[in-house]
Amino acid sequence: MAGKAAAPGVGILLVTANVGTLFDDTENLQKNWLREFYQTVHAQKPQFLSLHCQEVGGKNYEASMAHVDKLVKDLLSSDAMKEFNRARVYLDENYKSQENFTALGSFYFLHESLKNVYQYDFKAKKYRKVTGKEIYSDTLESTPMLEKEKFPQEFFPESKSSRKGFIRTRWCITDCAFDLVNIHLFHDASNVIAWESSPSIYSGIRQKALSYVLNSVTDHRFEKVPFFVFGDFNFRLDLKSVVETLCAKTTMQTVHAADTNAVDKLVFRESENDRKVVLQIEKKLFEYFNQEVFRDNNGTALLEFDKELSVFKDRLYELDITFPPSYPYSEDSSQGKQYMNTRCPAWCDRILMSHSAKELLLKSENDERIVLYDHIGPNICMGDHKPVFLSFRVATGAGKTNAHVHKCCVVQ
C-alpha cells in the first residue's frame, strides 16, 4: 500500500475537481465519481493527498448543501481511505454571506506512513503539527490555518452572484514547505461575445484575477515558498481562432435579436454540399457537427489555441497536457465521453506551479511515470468536468535552499 513502494521520496497526489453537477444527481454521478477517485488514489499510492473542489453544493447550493455532508463522510470514512489517519477539510458553505461565499472545498489527507507533517498558522506565523481529523466549514474567514478571498465584484460586474475566489494553505513535509492554492476563475458568460475578439474579454478578466492571486501568494507578508495553484481556471480556447480554423471553408450567417439588434446567433454553412450547417454558436450553444475533433489524439490539435497561460510563463509552469479537454462533458450518466453542445471544449481544470515548485518534483530517468499529469474517469461520466491530477514525489529536504524550510520542524 501507500508509503511502502520502493520509489524514493514522499508520494504526493494533487487533484482538482469542479463537483457542481455531482449534487444534481447524487445517486449516480457521486457514486461514479467516488469510485474513479478512489481507483486513482489506489493506483498512485500517495502519502499526502490534496483534493481541491469547486462549486461545492452545486448551482442550487441552498438546497444541496445537505448532500455535501454525505460526500465528506464518504471521503473521510471509506475503506479506500482507511490508511489516511489524519485529515483537514475546509468547506466554504456559508452561502448566506454572499460577499464572502466561494463554494470552495479543500481536502487534505495524510497517510499513516507519513511522519511529522506541519501546517502553517497564518495568524500566529508558525507551523503546527497535524494530528487527527478536523473539518472546518461556514465561516472560514476566522480559521487561521488558511487564507480565503472572494474576488472583488468589479472583476466580473455582470455576475451579481459570482462565487469565484481562492483558498490558500501552507504545508511542511520532510523539511519541504509549499503552498497549495485552490482557485476558481471566471467563466465565459456568452459564446458570442467570446468569439468577437482575440483574446476574448473574458480571457482578460481571468488574467486580471489570476494576477491578483499570484501577487497575494508572493507578497511580503509571509516567507516565500514554492506553490501549486490548482482548480477550475475556466481557461478557454481562443474561440475566434478555433472557429476560423474549423470553419475555414464555410460562409457565416449572422442572426440578430429582434428587440436589441445584438448578435443572437452565428451559423456557419458549407459553400456546397447542400449548404450543410457545420457550426452554430449562441450565447450558451456551441454545436459543431464533428465532436471527434475534440477527442482525436486527446485533442492535441487544439492545444495551439490554448493561449491563456502564455501570459504567465515567467511566473507559472505546467507539465505537458496529454489528456483531452476537461470540460464540458455530458451530465448523462450513460455518456462518459460525450461533450455537451454548450461550450467549445477546453482545458478548464489545471494544475500549475511556481518555477521553484517545479524543482521539487522528483524525476527518475528509469521511471518516467514517477511524475504523471492526467485526468480521472476518461470513460465514465463524472459530471460536466473531468477531475485532473498530478502525481509526483518530493525528496527529503527538497527546496531547502530557497525556502529556509528548516523552520518547519523547529516551530510547532
Side-chain angles (χ1 to χ4, degrees):
M1 287 301 293
K4 297 176 184 177
V10 173
I12 309 283
L13 179 62
L14 309 180
V15 182
T16 180
N18 184 315
V19 294
T21 51
L22 297 194
F23 303 95
D24 298 332
D25 179 7
T26 53
E27 186 59 37
N28 293 306
L29 289 185
Q30 208 167 107
K31 191 186 301 179
N32 286 347
W33 192 97
L34 285 166
R35 185 183 66 247
E36 296 296 313
F37 174 74
Y38 293 146
Q39 285 180 2
T40 302
V41 173
H42 180 74
Q44 299 306 316
K45 296 179 171 47
Q47 291 162 278
F48 180 88
L49 165 59
S50 170
L51 168 63
H52 283 177
C53 294
Q54 304 81 42
E55 295 290 357
V56 172
K59 292 179 174 58
N60 301 312
Y61 43 83
E62 292 184 32
S64 302
M65 277 303 178
H67 298 302
V68 175
D69 292 341
K70 182 179 180 298
L71 178 65
V72 173
K73 184 178 179 182
D74 202 314
L75 284 166
L76 287 175
S77 62
S78 74
D79 281 348
M81 304 293 285
K82 64 185 178 184
E83 294 185 6
F84 293 88
N85 63 350
R86 289 150 292 166
R88 292 292 181 271
V89 177
Y90 302 103
L91 296 169
D92 187 3
E93 296 181 305
N94 189 17
Y95 58 82
K96 292 179 181 177
S97 175
Q98 283 297 326
E99 68 274 16
N100 295 313
F101 181 49
T102 63
L104 293 172
S106 297
F107 300 75
Y108 305 98
F109 302 92
L110 283 61
H111 191 268
E112 60 192 14
S113 65
L114 186 58
K115 310 302 180 190
N116 298 328
V117 176
Y118 300 85
Q119 189 183 357
Y120 194 64
D121 181 324
F122 287 96
K123 289 192 169 56
K125 293 192 175 183
K126 63 172 68 173
Y127 286 90
R128 302 190 184 280
K129 191 169 184 176
V130 181
T131 59
K133 296 181 179 180
E134 296 177 2
I135 301 172
Y136 298 85
S137 60
D138 292 333
T139 315
L140 294 186
E141 285 73 29
S142 61
T143 305
M145 308 310 287
L146 58 80
E147 287 197 317
K148 191 201 87 167
E149 196 168 345
K150 180 177 175 177
F151 293 123
Q153 178 68 49
E154 63 265 22
F155 277 24
F156 200 57
E158 66 181 89
S159 178
K160 299 297 181 213
S161 60
S162 169
R163 300 180 292 281
K164 308 301 192 291
F166 68 97
I167 289 177
R168 169 199 194 183
T169 57
R170 176 170 291 190
W171 302 84
C172 182
I173 300 172
T174 65
D175 282 353
C176 174
F178 51 83
D179 282 348
L180 300 178
V181 182
N182 186 353
I183 191 170
H184 195 184
L185 298 183
F186 301 98
H187 62 286
D188 280 11
S190 165
N191 292 325
V192 175
I193 293 174
W195 165 84
E196 287 175 347
S197 60
S198 175
S200 78
I201 61 166
Y202 305 116
S203 173
I205 293 168
R206 287 188 285 272
Q207 180 181 329
K208 181 179 180 181
L210 182 51
S211 293
Y212 183 88
V213 174
L214 296 180
N215 291 341
S216 176
V217 171
T218 58
D219 64 17
H220 297 294
R221 292 171 302 138
F222 305 101
E223 184 178 16
K224 291 184 182 179
V225 299
F227 61 87
F228 296 85
V229 186
F230 49 115
D232 179 3
F233 291 83
N234 260 315
F235 286 163
R236 306 301 171 98
L237 304 186
D238 185 331
L239 199 58
K240 193 165 188 66
S241 300
V242 170
V243 171
E244 286 172 356
T245 301
L246 295 179
C247 303
K249 298 179 180 178
T250 66
T251 56
M252 183 182 76
Q253 173 192 359
T254 305
V255 180
H256 294 269
D259 50 349
T260 64
N261 204 37
V263 177
D264 195 42
K265 181 192 291 189
L266 302 166
V267 183
F268 298 83
R269 300 176 184 272
E270 290 186 356
S271 302
E272 300 171 353
N273 194 22
D274 294 328
R275 293 187 48 76
K276 172 186 171 185
V277 174
V278 172
L279 172 66
Q280 288 190 78
I281 298 178
E282 296 177 23
K283 181 178 180 179
K284 293 186 177 180
L285 177 75
F286 186 90
E287 190 171 4
Y288 187 61
F289 81 105
N290 177 22
Q291 271 209 5
E292 289 304 315
V293 168
F294 306 112
R295 290 190 290 260
D296 282 349
N297 195 23
N298 290 325
T300 303
L302 299 170
L303 280 170
E304 65 174 292
F305 306 111
D306 178 65
K307 301 175 179 178
E308 294 197 32
L309 189 56
S310 61
V311 181
F312 297 94
K313 64 179 184 297
D314 293 336
R315 305 181 75 179
L316 291 170
Y317 173 79
E318 181 179 30
L319 274 76
D320 291 340
I321 293 175
T322 57
F323 49 89
S326 64
Y327 170 86
Y329 280 91
S330 169
E331 296 165 27
D332 182 333
S333 57
S334 67
Q335 297 184 332
K337 288 185 169 182
Q338 187 78 12
Y339 287 107
M340 285 193 289
N341 292 324
T342 52
R343 308 286 184 183
C344 177
W347 289 274
C348 292
D349 308 273
R350 319 277 277 253
I351 299 177
L352 313 178
M353 65 197 82
S354 63
H355 289 280
S356 56
K358 173 190 171 186
E359 301 306 315
L360 301 181
L361 276 62
L362 184 65
K363 297 179 182 176
S364 166
E365 293 180 6
N366 302 323
D367 185 5
E368 293 180 359
R369 291 192 51 147
I370 222 164
V371 178
L372 184 61
Y373 187 34
D374 206 348
H375 65 324
I376 297 176
N379 304 312
I380 305 294
C381 181
M382 306 282 283
D384 57 351
H385 289 256
K386 296 284 190 196
V388 169
F389 74 89
L390 174 64
S391 178
F392 61 98
R393 306 190 77 81
V394 169
T396 302
K400 204 161 192 173
T401 52
N402 63 1
H404 308 298
V405 292
H406 58 276
K407 290 182 182 177
C408 302
C409 300
V410 219
V411 198
Q412 297 181 23

